[in-house]
Amino acid sequence: MAAKLLDGKALAANLKEKIKNEIQGLKARYGAAPKLVSVQVGENPASEVYLKSQRKNAENLGVEYHLEKLDAAATQEVLIKTIDKLNKDKNVHGIMIQMPLPKQIDAKLISRYITPLKDVEAVHPQNMGEIVFGNAKILPCTASSCMELLNSIDGLKLYGKEAVVVGHSEIVGKPLALLLLDKFATTTVCHIATGERGRLQEFVKNAEILIVAVGKAGLIKGEWVKEGAIVIDVGINRVEGKLVGDVEFDKAKVRASYITPVPGGVGPLTVAMLMKNLVEAYKIQASLFKA
Ligand code: NAD
């Protein structure tokens, strides 16, 4: 069997078209476009691609976008003051902080200073906590991209399915596991210690839904993939100048029923999800603050 490709690019294009129309409607109703502010401390080549894509997507969708640049030596206090100013600015609807932050700044602490209403990456503990209760309106972008890919599969019911998430980071693995649980998938989370105990293969072999977010090329061997499994590869690795995921794509695709390519799977959806969150944040703020 050759797996069908889960085309993140096409899904993202579709979603963005809907977001664009919704933004036009919001502009007509409330008189202003949603505004997203990205805060960057110092320069980082890894962030540049993402920043470019944010700006381009904002332009295409009719979002007002501003990049607030702080000096690489900016203190934590200066960053907190900047966030506070943006929190109070009624014209700003979404705030995101570019990672990685320089050493003098504690990223986990900083996430607490963004008002949850404007936290379009869902990094604030309150937004994370809402996921536990199945109430979240704003979801971490990569985790929700994975759910969007699963939702795109015709007739797929997650109820009772064996789902395995490899990777337990705050931005991907942990929230994703909660989202899968919310759909009643029987969810197992594997991580570095699973790998170190040599148990990864055993868990992966049982996965009807396999989602991998580690950042190690070839970690998941193609022959481990269960016949007919759905495979979502979040990993991004550069190998000999080419981008590849964490799963051995060529070997996995002959066993899986659906698989994401890297690039072109999860990645393109992430920015679309960010914009979806911005629209959601705008709508919540508009309904709260309308005179
Ligand atoms: P992270 O470094 O925060 O977490 C990595 C996770 O992998 C940890 O839970 C760790 O325990 C686990 N791990 C490490 N080695 C392992 C092993 N041998 N066996 C099992 N588990 C192991 O990473 P992250 O920020 O969650 O990102 C993961 C990958 O996803 C990276 O390649 C990143 O570039 C990519 N990513 C892609 C997108 C996208 O939009 N496509 C977004 C975010 C992250």
Side-chain angles (χ1 to χ4, degrees):
M1 178 172 29
K4 288 191 184 141
L5 285 189
L6 288 169
D7 185 348
K9 256 191 187 160
L11 268 181
N14 234 318
L15 191 66
K16 284 192 236 170
E17 203 47 47
K18 284 190 197 141
I19 295 171
K20 192 174 175 177
N21 290 335
E22 197 169 4
I23 289 176
Q24 276 171 3
L26 290 171
K27 258 192 198 166
R29 184 164 173 200
Y30 297 106
K35 179 169 178 180
L36 174 65
V37 177
S38 224
V39 183
Q40 187 186 28
V41 187
E43 305 261 319
N44 187 302
S47 308
E48 294 311 317
V49 183
Y50 194 37
L51 284 171
K52 243 187 173 166
S53 145
Q54 280 169 24
R55 185 179 292 282
K56 193 171 135 225
N57 276 280
E59 263 171 32
N60 290 343
L61 300 180
V63 162
E64 204 181 318
Y65 179 81
H66 172 67
L67 176 61
E68 181 96 20
K69 281 190 164 195
L70 299 183
D71 192 82
T75 60
Q76 195 156 276
E77 206 189 350
V78 166
L79 178 55
I80 291 171
K81 275 194 182 146
T82 305
I83 295 172
D84 198 43
K85 181 188 77 182
L86 297 170
N87 283 341
K88 289 183 181 135
D89 185 342
K90 286 235 163 75
N91 298 315
V92 173
H93 307 94
I95 303 167
M96 58 187 297
I97 314 293
Q98 288 307 309
M99 298 293 162
L101 286 166
K103 281 197 291 291
Q104 72 273 19
I105 295 171
D106 176 348
K108 271 195 186 163
L109 180 87
I110 286 299
S111 67
R112 295 175 180 267
Y113 284 89
I114 306 170
T115 182
L117 281 176
K118 299 188 180 185
D119 170 31
V120 284
E121 289 191 301
V123 290
H124 190 284
Q126 183 178 317
N127 284 326
M128 281 284 173
E130 295 290 1
I131 306 175
V132 176
F133 294 103
N135 273 339
K137 300 268 185 295
I138 296 176
L139 292 167
C141 304
T142 310
S144 62
S145 299
C146 295
M147 295 307 285
E148 188 77 13
L149 284 159
L150 292 176
N151 285 338
S152 75
I153 299 174
D154 237 12
L156 174 69
K157 299 230 178 335
L158 292 176
Y159 195 93
K161 286 274 184 329
E162 308 271 349
V164 172
V165 178
V166 187
H168 77 321
S169 68
E170 275 92 19
I171 59 160
V172 194
K174 283 182 190 167
L176 184 58
L178 291 170
L179 294 173
L180 289 163
L181 280 176
D182 204 45
K183 300 286 177 208
F184 288 89
T186 305
T187 306
T188 306
V189 182
C190 301
H191 41 69
I192 182 83
T194 322
E196 282 171 2
R197 273 199 75 191
R199 303 277 305 277
L200 200 52
Q201 173 176 4
E202 184 185 329
F203 287 106
V204 168
K205 277 197 149 172
N206 289 323
E208 293 171 292
I209 315 274
L210 174 66
I211 308 184
V212 190
V214 171
K216 288 185 180 160
L219 175 72
I220 305 297
K221 305 294 165 221
E223 58 270 20
W224 297 358
V225 171
K226 188 180 174 79
E227 212 47 72
I230 295 166
V231 180
I232 297 189
D233 193 348
V234 183
I236 304 175
N237 311 287
R238 195 170 281 280
V239 175
E240 290 162 8
K242 271 180 65 185
L243 288 186
V244 297
D246 294 338
V247 180
E248 286 183 342
F249 181 82
D250 288 337
K251 289 185 192 153
K253 81 169 185 233
V254 293
R255 302 176 63 84
S257 57
Y258 290 88
I259 191 165
T260 53
V262 178
V266 180
L269 270 169
T270 315
V271 180
M273 288 302 175
L274 175 75
M275 296 303 174
K276 191 175 172 218
N277 282 345
L278 177 70
V279 167
E280 201 51 48
Y282 181 103
K283 288 196 287 193
I284 298 170
Q285 289 165 62
S287 69
L288 281 178
F289 303 132
K290 72 179 172 219

